[in-house]
């Protein structure tokens, strides 16, 4: 697991939290959207490009305590 407390681009709304994780010296990032417990089906059923843009457009810098599985990827 990876744990970090720092300022990330963050958003929360009805049934979800989202954090934008920077990579490669801020040249790339990954937007992680996590439904609240028990809300996966609700969020999945209403998720489309407009919802993605709404979430992405609402992110603001915020101090976040982040915990998530460690992983690696290559391109």
């Amino acid at each position: 697991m990876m744990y970090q407390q720092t300022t990330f681009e963050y958003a929360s709304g009805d049934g979800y939290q989202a954090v934008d994780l920077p990579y490669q010296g801020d040249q790339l990032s990954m937007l992680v959207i996590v439904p609240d417990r028990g809300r996966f089906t609700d969020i999945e059923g209403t998720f489309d490009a407009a919802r993605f843009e709404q979430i992405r457009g609402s992110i603001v810098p915020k101090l976040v305590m982040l915990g998530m599985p460690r992983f690696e990827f290559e391109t």
Side-chain angles (χ1 to χ4, degrees), residues 15 35 39-49 51:
R39 298 288 308 270
F40 182 85
T41 303
D42 297 339
I43 299 302
E44 181 185 39
T46 62
F47 199 83
D48 58 13
R51 179 83 183 252

Side-chain angles (χ1 to χ4, degrees), residues 1-4 21 23 30 66-73:
M1 291 290 287
M2 163 181 89
Y3 297 98
Q4 186 174 9
L21 304 175
Y23 289 95
M30 176 174 64
L66 178 69
M68 62 184 290
R70 187 176 300 275
F71 64 93
E72 293 183 24
F73 70 95

Side-chain angles (χ1 to χ4, degrees), residues 47-69:
F47 199 83
D48 58 13
R51 179 83 183 252
F52 176 81
E53 289 300 326
Q54 179 268 323
I55 292 170
R56 192 172 75 152
S58 67
I59 59 175
V60 295
K62 184 172 181 176
L63 182 62
V64 173
M65 174 56 116
L66 178 69
M68 62 184 290

